[in-house]
Amino acid sequence: MFNMIWWDNLNKQLRKVVKRHTDSNLQANHSKAAELELEHQRLIEELDDAFMEWKQAQVRFEYALGMDETDYAICTMEASEKRLAMLLKRAKQNNLRTNAYRQLIKRCS
């Protein structure tokens, strides 16, 4: 009888420990998933911003008057292209596959 009570108590304690450990792992995994989702959202926003900057640089180049404005427009366009390429590379490395990302790729092509 004593062995049964002892065994039941031990079993209950083990279940509590396992449940606590499992719950903490689930919370950690959920936290990592939420953090990854937030990072992806920020990256999409940065990509969208970089795309708009690139489009503005193209317009600035089209309407540039004189040598100074043309030089500035070219520098701005090159910088915006490099930023956009950097962000697209980061998105690819992070396996970012969303509709917004695909639409942005299509717009850039």
Side-chain angles (χ1 to χ4, degrees), residues 25-52:
N25 281 346
L26 287 174
Q27 286 177 346
N29 288 342
H30 179 66
S31 177
K32 288 178 185 177
E35 188 177 312
L36 185 63
E37 181 63 31
L38 183 61
E39 183 180 330
H40 281 182
Q41 188 60 36
R42 286 184 189 144
L43 187 53
I44 289 170
E45 289 172 6
E46 276 191 78
L47 278 163
D48 196 40
D49 182 50
F51 176 73
M52 294 305 293

Side-chain angles (χ1 to χ4, degrees), residues 9-29:
N9 286 337
L10 180 62
N11 200 9
K12 285 178 187 176
Q13 292 299 321
L14 281 172
R15 284 184 185 164
K16 285 181 185 178
V17 169
V18 168
K19 184 177 179 347
R20 197 175 317 131
H21 181 71
T22 303
D23 289 347
S24 67
N25 281 346
L26 287 174
Q27 286 177 346
N29 288 342

Side-chain angles (χ1 to χ4, degrees), residues 94-109:
N94 289 339
N95 292 322
L96 181 62
R97 303 280 188 247
T98 66
N99 287 334
Y101 173 66
R102 288 186 184 115
Q103 290 171 359
L104 185 63
I105 297 280
K106 287 179 185 176
R107 284 193 284 176
C108 291
S109 300

